[in-house]
Amino acid sequence: MRQINWPFGPFNFWLIGITLGCFVLAAPIGLVFVSVFFPQTEIWQHLYTTVLADYIVNSIVLAFGVGLIVIVIGTVLAWCIARYEFTGRKQLQWLVLLPMAMPAYIIAYTYTGLLDFAGPIQTLLRETFDWQYGDYYFPDIRSLPGAIVMLSLVLYPYVYMLARTAFSEQPASLEDVSRSLGVSSRKYLFKVVLPLARPAILMGAALAMMEAFADYGTVQYFGLSTFTTGIFRTWFGLGNGLAAAQLAALLTSFVMLLLILEFLSRRKIRYYFQGQKTQQAKRIKLTGSKAFWVPFICLLPVCLGFIFPVLQLFIWASKTYSQQFSAEFGLLLWNSFYLAAIAAFVAVVLALFFAYGKRLHPIKSIRMLVGVVNLGYAIPGTVLAIGAMISLSWLDIRLNGLTESWFDLSLGLVFSGSLFALILVYSSRFLAVAMHNVDTGLARVKPSMDDAARSLGYKPFQILRKIHLPLMKTSVLSALLLVFVDVLKELPATLILRPFNFNTLAVKTFELASDERLMDAALPALAIVCVGILPVVLLTLLIDKPSEITSQIK
């Protein structure tokens, strides 16, 4: 391919394409930050004197509360499963991932139905002990602590997966040396194991905290004032898009600060293992009371985060199945399926283009551009939706102005009022998920295969289509599946950008639950959860049998 000299490096098709793609995908978040140059003084004075402090405090407490709890749950589970051998361990190592299939807003609805005053638990207590209202204390599930617990129950797998990998990779020689120096098992855990695993644990906690910052369904249903609910109120309640964008910029600043803090926490940490192969420590066989309590501790988060809510959803769905399973429900399934399928396809195609362009031309400018688009996963869906709405609305106005002046024809909301807006935001938000899988697959293909193909006269696209794609089929399919399920569960961006009279399973579940029709919301919620189990199965295979998953690309 002919190269053109350019001050910033090779200026070819890949650099042009990656630059344009980065510009389109980053435009929504860029416009959110540009909005700060158009101050909305009256709105901000109103927010400052009323709810802004609540937005900041509640969002920070929510995120750090979730971070603390997921560190405890995820680290304990990872250590028990990586360190000990007990009955049911093989089953528990994938069961503990099941809460990932449960969106936070669905578990919030379910536990509200279980724990509210009219729910089965409080009703049973009153009937059993002949209590009346005010005779007993029961924690309020619709509160900030309740939201922290709900989010923690479904987000702890982030820490568990990373911590378990970190624990499993630590060689047995570390423990042998520690014992020879007289270090007790407790000190070995706190002085050696946890410090070595700290970067992985903090990374998992940071991911969970970013999800907590981005959550809308749970905090909205619980009536909490956070940045995400504030953005919706400012946009739809006060009717001020610029002020909503400025709130979104402030929320994004907190997320970026969290990423910086996570990076600084591990900036000077360097650990190295000598040699290419290390013997892993043997798991300790548990006996006596520990053989009961350790499996119980591991099973408890699974029951609270998945089994109990799913059972309740099944009970509710069985009572409303005849009314809810209708043509409308079939339309919801179809809308959700094809929207998620299109978004997953677009995200994976973009990921292949960016990843292969980076492989083909590993220059600094391309690496920086790809790094920019990968930041989309750290940005809440609400923020991206606000930015997309502003930019696409401007584009629609300009397009209609041209068609009216040239052809006396108004096209309407071509971009901001169609599925294009949703696909754009989904691609920007979940591109990093697809990129991770595609990058992993490409890294396993030897560069010598590219050289051999070029020597036979193959062009870059031919090499990608005929050589790389067949070899990395598993990575591409896993990327498609993960993005598909993430899009299926996405709520705030869909609420803001969906076309008129267009519903998905997530939106319908939110609407029914908001109307306190929890039983009616059970069937669409259960459909989301059932589909969400698919990536959990995939993650289990990747963790337990990596050789089988990657055999096609070796």
Side-chain angles (χ1 to χ4, degrees):
M1 184 175 293
R2 186 171 67 91
Q3 301 289 333
I4 300 176
N5 292 328
W6 191 257
F8 303 104
F11 194 74
N12 53 36
F13 169 79
W14 294 96
L15 185 56
I16 297 173
I18 290 176
T19 302
L20 291 176
C22 178
F23 175 79
V24 172
L25 294 175
I29 185 62
L31 286 174
V32 165
F33 281 101
V34 169
S35 69
V36 300
F37 296 104
F38 302 91
Q40 306 294 300
T41 307
E42 293 183 1
I43 295 292
W44 276 97
Q45 286 178 346
H46 170 71
L47 293 175
Y48 178 77
T49 57
T50 53
V51 293
L52 185 59
D54 290 337
Y55 292 164
I56 295 174
V57 172
N58 289 342
S59 296
I60 292 176
V61 172
L62 179 70
F64 280 89
V66 168
L68 180 61
I69 294 179
V70 298
I71 284 175
V72 174
I73 297 177
T75 304
V76 170
L77 288 177
W79 177 247
C80 289
I81 290 177
R83 176 71 170 174
Y84 301 116
E85 187 67 47
F86 50 85
T87 303
R89 178 190 167 276
K90 290 184 178 179
Q91 291 73 31
L92 279 170
Q93 64 185 354
W94 64 266
L95 281 173
V96 295
L97 292 173
L98 286 178
M100 292 189 72
M102 180 72 68
Y105 54 88
I106 290 179
I107 196 175
Y109 307 155
T110 308
Y111 271 105
T112 299
L114 283 170
L115 302 178
D116 258 358
F117 179 78
I121 294 180
Q122 290 201 53
T123 301
L124 179 63
L125 289 174
R126 290 194 299 272
E127 292 176 351
T128 302
F129 299 101
D130 196 24
W131 288 339
Q132 301 296 323
Y133 178 75
D135 292 343
Y136 63 98
Y137 169 77
F138 201 86
D140 184 12
I141 185 66
R142 298 196 191 201
S143 61
L144 183 57
I148 291 173
V149 173
M150 294 297 100
L151 288 165
S152 300
L153 287 175
V154 298
L155 295 177
Y156 75 80
Y158 283 114
V159 175
Y160 163 77
M161 289 188 296
L162 295 175
R164 182 187 163 192
T165 301
F167 292 151
S168 300
E169 290 177 348
Q170 294 180 10
S173 58
L174 284 176
E175 186 173 4
D176 296 335
V177 172
S178 300
R179 285 180 177 177
S180 68
L181 295 175
V183 177
S184 65
S185 298
R186 184 183 298 273
K187 286 187 177 180
Y188 171 68
L189 172 62
F190 288 100
K191 298 291 185 180
V192 180
V193 174
L194 291 179
L196 287 173
R198 190 179 76 179
I201 293 172
L202 292 180
M203 174 58 76
L207 291 172
M209 292 170 69
M210 284 189 289
E211 292 290 342
F213 271 124
D215 178 76
Y216 173 74
T218 304
V219 293
Q220 168 66 17
Y221 185 67
F222 282 2
L224 301 176
S225 295
T226 63
F227 275 116
T228 51
T229 57
I231 290 169
F232 271 81
R233 292 169 188 168
T234 305
W235 181 283
F236 296 106
L238 300 178
N240 193 310
L242 281 176
Q246 289 160 11
L247 269 177
L250 187 57
L251 171 58
T252 307
S253 300
F254 278 98
V255 175
M256 292 300 182
L257 179 61
L258 176 63
L259 288 174
I260 293 172
L261 290 175
E262 189 277 330
F263 172 76
L264 293 177
S265 69
R266 57 183 171 85
R267 182 181 56 178
K268 296 183 179 180
I269 298 177
R270 297 290 186 274
Y271 297 123
Y272 301 97
F273 295 132
Q274 298 296 326
Q276 294 183 348
K277 294 184 178 180
T278 57
Q279 182 180 1
Q280 295 182 357
K282 293 183 178 180
R283 289 188 291 271
I284 300 173
K285 178 70 175 179
L286 294 179
T287 58
S289 61
K290 290 183 178 179
F292 168 77
W293 285 110
V294 170
F296 175 79
I297 291 172
C298 293
L299 188 59
L300 185 60
V302 182
C303 291
L304 295 176
F306 185 82
I307 296 176
F308 292 163
V310 167
L311 288 176
Q312 183 61 63
L313 288 175
F314 266 113
I315 293 172
W316 286 340
S318 65
K319 295 179 180 179
T320 60
Y321 176 83
S322 58
Q323 294 85 16
Q324 293 299 314
F325 195 78
S326 60
E328 182 185 0
F329 183 73
L331 182 61
L332 288 175
L333 283 174
W334 170 245
N335 287 346
S336 302
F337 177 82
Y338 86 78
L339 179 61
I342 294 173
F345 177 78
V346 172
V348 171
V349 169
L350 290 173
L352 283 167
F353 181 77
F354 289 148
Y356 190 61
K358 186 173 60 174
R359 176 188 177 97
L360 197 62
H361 300 287
I363 58 178
K364 187 176 181 180
S365 55
I366 288 183
R367 289 199 303 268
M368 290 178 61
L369 290 171
V370 173
V372 169
V373 296
N374 275 335
L375 288 175
Y377 191 69
I379 308 301
T382 311
V383 176
L384 291 172
I386 293 293
M389 181 63 75
I390 294 174
S391 57
L392 295 179
S393 297
W394 178 88
L395 189 60
D396 277 333
I397 292 172
R398 295 296 178 271
L399 179 62
N400 279 273
L402 288 175
T403 57
E404 287 175 359
S405 61
W406 291 353
F407 308 107
D408 195 23
L409 175 66
S410 177
L411 297 178
L413 302 178
V414 177
F415 297 106
S416 61
S418 66
L419 292 181
F420 178 85
L422 279 173
I423 300 300
L424 174 63
V425 170
Y426 291 152
S427 300
S428 179
R429 174 109 165 85
F430 301 117
L431 179 64
V433 178
M435 280 288 296
H436 173 75
N437 287 270
V438 171
D439 269 334
T440 302
L442 274 177
R444 293 193 178 102
V445 181
K446 295 180 180 180
S448 58
M449 299 186 70
D450 297 58
D451 299 334
R454 290 192 193 97
S455 67
L456 295 174
Y458 281 81
K459 301 297 182 182
F461 273 114
Q462 292 176 313
I463 298 174
L464 178 63
R465 180 171 58 88
K466 295 184 177 181
I467 297 176
H468 290 86
L469 281 179
L471 292 174
M472 54 187 294
K473 179 173 61 177
T474 303
S475 296
V476 172
L477 290 176
S478 64
L480 281 167
L481 177 60
L482 291 172
V483 176
F484 178 89
V485 176
D486 278 337
V487 171
L488 195 70
K489 296 189 294 184
E490 174 66 25
L491 176 63
T494 312
L495 278 172
I496 294 175
L497 297 174
R498 63 191 172 119
F500 178 73
N501 205 26
F502 182 90
N503 261 3
T504 64
L505 289 170
V507 172
K508 189 64 175 179
T509 302
F510 173 79
E511 290 177 345
L512 291 172
S514 298
D515 293 337
E516 299 299 332
R517 297 170 59 187
L518 298 180
M519 287 190 179
D520 293 336
L523 188 60
L526 201 56
I528 295 173
V529 173
C530 290
V531 176
I533 293 176
L534 296 176
V536 174
V537 175
L538 175 64
L539 287 172
T540 303
L541 294 174
L542 290 172
I543 292 174
D544 295 335
K545 299 179 181 179
S547 59
E548 295 182 13
I549 297 296
T550 59
S551 60
Q552 299 182 51
I553 53 178
K554 285 186 177 180

